[in-house]
């Protein structure tokens, strides 16, 4: 054995460092224990999670926040299978992620090896690139390609498979094909003729609307988008994770008049947003049937999806917006036409805000969602990162908890995935340690959503992450029952046949999980208790907190004009 021999573990770890990877999340076991140690020896952070799905959620969230893929490291067979939900979530959200799976030794394949599984093929439907390096010398080449494909075009997922025997093998370092860091993705510049067409449509519009998606947040286009909206006095509507590109408190943000804005806009400029279920597919009755769509997206294949765009532009959001501003400067159209449109939007917004304000002032016990969220918003830092999941908890919280900055809301996203919250919060807290040490992470969970990944509280404690977890507890999925009703339903019958599928146990004291660490959690049934719990939790700087807020099991969102999802007519 030569002194310059290296094994597969070291080659892989150093290849990750060479590609700018900083964080690896995972759960170790055969055959990746030595790899996890090599990762730390190479200078990377290894964050041990309690569930592979949560590890995958954390890795993709750090990829979204840093624009460099996080790594999820898992064992063979079940380890990889448990990540598939996370891989699908990252792929649907367009977040960069690299999953590395250990696998059965090659000489055990086909004869019943331990956790033998066709992992490369299993991963392929959920990622952009799925491969097994054929040998040690080409590991860096495949790592570079996996990282590049996770970043270029529409960001997404790559998977690399490493049999145990490959990781353990050794080779002379001089034979390894080392690669340079993958460059930042090239910017897609818009066709000037299409920018002119977009400007012409906007100039002729009487009711324009800008819809900002998380693609604009990922692009880092917030400064130029804000300049554009304010310069031309345009109403803007964010998608859930597009919040903060334009400050939620900005006059131009018309989230409080969302339905009116969508229904009556005659021209819509889509900046990094997709016409999927979140935007009701861009179709009537949620949209004007004659609306003119200007679609700008980094992914050419997304253009014209669901409904044909009047102008479809393949471009970086920031680059396009700068050129559009230049085209529009000098036009007086905003002064001529915008007053009636703004009047309509402001009138509806004021009515909706009045309804919400009335609900926030109802402090009767049991509490409602709006009162709870109003007082949370009053107490938390204005620049905090908000992680949120659950049914009503996430949907109502989206309108009540405001974001001033982009990429400061992480939720169930395009795939509507439950269980993402604690993993996202771990990633956000680690990001804060590196880039904004005084910033706080607030993780707002429904009680059902918290149950998916609640044991990640131990991960937060182990790594000294001061995440504040707020559980909005209604004893169920969507809604639950008070204790008396819950018990009466179950009396005299087989509990599995009579317990409503959407119900959970009543008055569960989730905050007592903190007692595992000799720390007291907070159980709240009224607003003064919630206010004290928030004040005390914000003072804690080195460990997580849990605030368990009991609300009315039948509490719901304010009345809606339409069902939450545009229904199919088939």
């Amino acid at each position: 054995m030569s002194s310059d021999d290296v094994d597969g573990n070291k080659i892989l770890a150093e290849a990750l460092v060479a590609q700018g990877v900083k964080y690896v999340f995972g759960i170790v076991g055969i055959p990746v224990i030595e790899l996890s140690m090599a990762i730390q020896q190479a200078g990377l952070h290894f964050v041990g999670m309690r569930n592979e799905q949560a590890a995958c959620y954390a890795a993709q969230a750090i990829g979204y926040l840093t624009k460099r893929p996080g790594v999820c490291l898992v064992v063979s067979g079940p380890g990889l299978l448990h990540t598939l939900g996370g891989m699908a979530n990252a792929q649907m959200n367009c977040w960069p992620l690299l999953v590395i799976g250990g696998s059965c030794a090659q000489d055990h394949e086909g004869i019943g090896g331990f956790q033998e599984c066709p992992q490369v093929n299993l991963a392929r439907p959920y990622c952009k690139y799925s491969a097994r390096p054929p040998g040690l010398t080409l590991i860096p080449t495949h790592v570079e390609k996996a990282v590049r494909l996770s970043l270029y075009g529409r960001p997404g997922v790559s998977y690399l498979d490493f049999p145990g025997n490959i990781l353990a093998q050794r080779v002379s370092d001089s034979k390894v094909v080392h690669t340079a860091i993958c460059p930042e993705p090239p910017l897609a510049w818009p066709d000037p003729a299409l920018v002119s067409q977009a400007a012409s449509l906007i100039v002729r519009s009487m009711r324009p609307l800008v819809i900002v998606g998380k693609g604009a947040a990922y692009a880092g286009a917030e400064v130029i988008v804000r300049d554009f909206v304010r310069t031309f006095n345009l109403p803007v509507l964010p998608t859930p994770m597009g919040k903060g590109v334009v400050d939620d408190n900005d006059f131009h943000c018309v989230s409080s008049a969302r339905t009116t804005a969508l229904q009556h806009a005659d021209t819509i400029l889509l900046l990094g947003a997709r016409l999927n279920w979140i935007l009701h597919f861009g179709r009537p009755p949620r949209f004007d049937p004659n609306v003119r769509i200007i679609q700008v997206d980094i992914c050419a294949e997304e253009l014209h999806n669901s409904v044909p765009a009047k102008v479809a532009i393949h471009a970086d959001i920031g680059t396009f917006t700068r050129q559009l501003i230049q085209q529009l400067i000098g036009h007086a159209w905003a002064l001529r036409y915008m007053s009636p449109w703004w009047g309509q939007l402001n009138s509806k917004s004021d009515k909706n805000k009045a309804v919400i304000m009335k609900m926030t002032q109802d402090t009767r016990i049991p509490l409602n969602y709006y009162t709870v969220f109003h007082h949370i918003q009053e107490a938390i830092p204005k620049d905090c990162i908000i992680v949120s999941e659950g049914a009503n908890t996430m949907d109502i919280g989206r309108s009540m908890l405001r974001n001033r900055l982009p990429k400061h809301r992480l939720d169930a996203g395009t795939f509507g995935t439950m269980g993402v919250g604690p993993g996202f919060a771990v990633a956000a807290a680690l990001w804060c340690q590196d880039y904004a040490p005084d910033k706080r992470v607030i993780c707002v969970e429904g009680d059902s959503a918290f149950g998916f990944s609640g044991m990640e509280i131990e991960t937060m404690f182990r790594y000294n992450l001061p995440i504040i977890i707020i559980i909005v507890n209604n004893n169920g999925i969507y809604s639950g029952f008070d204790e008396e009703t819950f018990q009466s339903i179950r009396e005299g019958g087989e509990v599995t046949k009579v317990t409503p599928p959407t119900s959970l146990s009543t008055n569960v004291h989730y905050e007592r999980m903190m007692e595992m660490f000799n720390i007291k959690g907070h159980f709240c049934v009224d607003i003064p208790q919630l206010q004290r719990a928030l004040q005390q939790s914000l003072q804690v700087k080195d460990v997580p907190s849990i605030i368990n807020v009991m609300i009315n099991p039948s509490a719901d969102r304010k009345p809606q004009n339409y069902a939450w999802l545009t229904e199919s007519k088939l």
Side-chain angles (χ1 to χ4, degrees):
M1 183 182 298
S2 170
S3 60
D4 73 338
D5 279 0
V6 290
D7 66 6
N9 295 306
K10 184 174 182 180
I11 296 170
L12 177 51
E14 292 183 349
L16 294 173
V17 172
Q19 295 307 318
V21 170
K22 188 168 186 179
Y23 280 100
V24 179
F25 303 84
I27 299 178
V28 301
I30 297 171
V32 297
I33 295 174
E34 292 78 8
L35 175 57
S36 66
M37 296 176 180
I39 282 169
Q40 289 182 315
Q41 289 170 0
L44 296 172
H45 297 277
F46 181 82
V47 183
M49 306 288 284
R50 300 303 301 264
N51 177 282
E52 285 97 348
Q53 276 189 330
C56 201
Y57 298 144
Q60 65 194 258
I62 207 77
Y64 174 62
L65 292 170
T66 65
K67 300 183 71 173
R68 208 74 189 175
V71 171
C72 177
L73 176 65
V74 294
V75 301
S76 50
L80 175 69
L81 287 169
H82 290 168
T83 70
L84 295 182
M87 293 171 70
N89 188 72
Q91 189 75 351
M92 292 292 289
N93 272 338
C94 313
W95 289 359
L97 167 69
L98 172 56
V99 177
I100 293 175
S103 61
C104 170
Q106 289 168 304
D107 56 335
H108 291 177
E109 290 179 338
I111 56 174
F114 175 65
Q115 295 184 334
E116 181 182 350
C117 189
Q119 295 177 189
V120 174
N121 288 333
L122 281 172
R124 190 163 283 125
Y126 309 103
C127 58
K128 297 174 67 179
Y129 179 64
S130 181
R132 172 188 288 182
L136 275 66
T137 61
L138 289 178
I139 286 176
T141 301
H142 281 266
V143 170
E144 187 277 337
K145 184 174 183 179
V147 169
R148 176 161 39 86
L149 293 186
S150 77
L151 293 171
Y152 280 40
R154 172 183 280 177
V157 186
S158 293
Y159 173 70
L160 291 178
D161 193 68
F162 290 93
N165 62 303
I166 291 289
L167 292 173
Q169 285 175 8
R170 302 182 70 86
V171 69
S172 171
D173 186 57
S174 62
K175 295 182 179 180
V176 178
V177 182
H178 295 286
T179 57
I181 188 169
C182 165
E184 291 296 315
L187 293 181
W189 283 66
D191 181 339
L194 294 178
V195 178
S196 295
Q197 290 179 32
S200 179
L201 278 184
I202 293 173
V203 167
R204 299 199 309 269
S205 172
M206 298 184 70
R207 296 183 302 280
L209 177 67
V210 180
I211 298 181
V212 175
K214 65 176 175 286
Y218 183 82
E222 61 273 10
V223 173
I224 193 65
V225 170
R226 291 179 182 186
D227 185 33
F228 168 63
V229 166
R230 292 167 182 169
T231 298
F232 302 107
N233 193 32
L234 295 167
V236 62
L237 184 68
T239 64
M241 278 191 277
K243 282 163 57 72
V245 172
V246 174
D247 188 338
D248 281 344
N249 295 306
D250 192 293
F251 167 82
H252 298 88
C253 182
V254 294
S255 294
S256 297
R258 185 178 191 270
T259 297
T260 297
L262 292 179
Q263 278 188 312
H264 297 285
D266 61 9
T267 302
I268 291 178
L269 173 60
L270 282 177
L271 296 177
R274 290 174 280 178
L275 291 176
N276 54 19
W277 65 273
I278 292 175
L279 288 174
H280 314 289
F281 316 108
R283 300 175 181 176
R286 293 299 188 100
F287 287 70
D288 186 315
N290 298 313
V291 66
R292 298 179 295 269
I293 302 291
I294 304 167
Q295 186 178 13
V296 188
D297 203 282
I298 197 65
C299 177
E301 290 83 353
E302 185 62 36
L303 301 175
H304 303 294
N305 190 44
S306 183
V307 296
K310 190 73 172 178
V311 182
I313 305 170
H314 176 222
D316 169 73
I317 300 298
T319 304
F320 164 81
T321 307
R322 287 185 185 91
Q323 295 190 12
L324 182 62
I325 289 174
Q326 294 302 314
Q327 292 275 349
L328 290 173
I329 285 176
H331 288 286
W333 56 273
L335 298 177
R336 293 201 306 269
Y337 299 131
M338 292 295 286
S339 288
W341 180 220
W342 270 114
Q344 185 179 1
L345 292 171
N346 289 336
S347 175
K348 187 61 177 179
S349 179
D350 290 344
K351 289 179 182 178
N352 285 339
K353 287 178 180 178
V355 172
I356 296 300
M357 183 56 66
K358 185 176 181 180
M359 298 175 76
T360 66
Q361 294 171 346
D362 181 2
T363 58
R364 291 174 297 177
I365 299 172
L367 300 168
N368 69 65
Y369 283 104
Y370 293 90
T371 300
V372 168
F373 283 127
H374 172 73
H375 287 88
I376 291 173
Q377 176 63 39
E378 291 280 296
I380 61 178
K382 304 310 178 190
D383 66 344
C384 66
I385 295 179
I386 297 171
V387 179
S388 184
E389 62 171 331
N392 290 338
T393 298
M394 182 178 67
D395 292 340
I396 299 172
R398 181 185 306 129
S399 63
M400 298 296 294
L401 302 177
R402 297 183 173 272
N403 293 99
R404 298 180 60 189
L405 299 169
K407 297 201 285 191
H408 277 51
R409 178 182 172 86
L410 305 173
D411 68 19
T414 308
F415 213 32
T417 306
M418 291 294 105
V420 296
F424 282 2
V426 166
L430 291 168
W431 181 87
C432 288
Q433 285 184 349
D434 283 342
Y435 300 99
D438 295 327
K439 195 179 292 289
R440 298 305 299 265
V441 176
I442 313 295
C443 184
V444 185
E445 300 273 302
D447 51 325
S448 170
F450 180 71
F452 283 78
S453 306
M455 273 309 298
E456 297 304 333
I457 188 72
E458 188 276 328
T459 306
M460 300 173 190
F461 186 84
R462 188 169 7 117
Y463 293 109
N464 305 118
L465 302 177
I467 297 162
I468 299 174
I469 299 175
I470 304 172
I471 301 169
V472 183
N473 191 344
N474 68 348
N475 303 334
I477 304 169
Y478 300 108
S479 63
F481 296 93
D482 62 80
E483 188 166 3
E484 182 178 351
T485 304
F486 184 68
Q487 294 302 331
S488 67
I489 290 172
R490 291 152 53 92
E491 288 176 0
E494 298 178 68
V495 291
T496 53
K497 292 182 178 179
V498 299
T499 303
T502 59
S503 65
L504 299 173
S505 298
T506 57
N507 302 320
V508 176
H509 283 262
Y510 297 102
E511 80 286 350
R512 291 181 181 171
M513 293 178 71
M514 294 302 298
E515 295 177 13
M516 296 188 293
F517 314 109
N518 297 316
I519 299 172
K520 290 289 185 181
H522 305 274
F523 183 76
C524 307
V525 298
D526 60 32
I527 293 304
Q529 290 174 343
L530 174 60
Q531 291 172 325
R532 286 193 296 271
L534 286 165
Q535 183 180 30
Q536 293 172 18
S537 297
L538 286 166
Q539 293 172 354
V540 176
K541 302 296 185 182
D542 57 354
V543 293
S545 306
I546 295 180
I547 302 173
N548 184 17
V549 189
M550 301 304 303
I551 67 167
N552 190 333
S554 60
D556 203 351
R557 68 188 76 187
K558 78 177 183 66
Q560 306 291 309
N561 293 330
Y562 291 94
W564 72 278
L565 180 64
T566 301
E567 298 296 330
S568 170
K569 304 303 181 194
L570 297 179

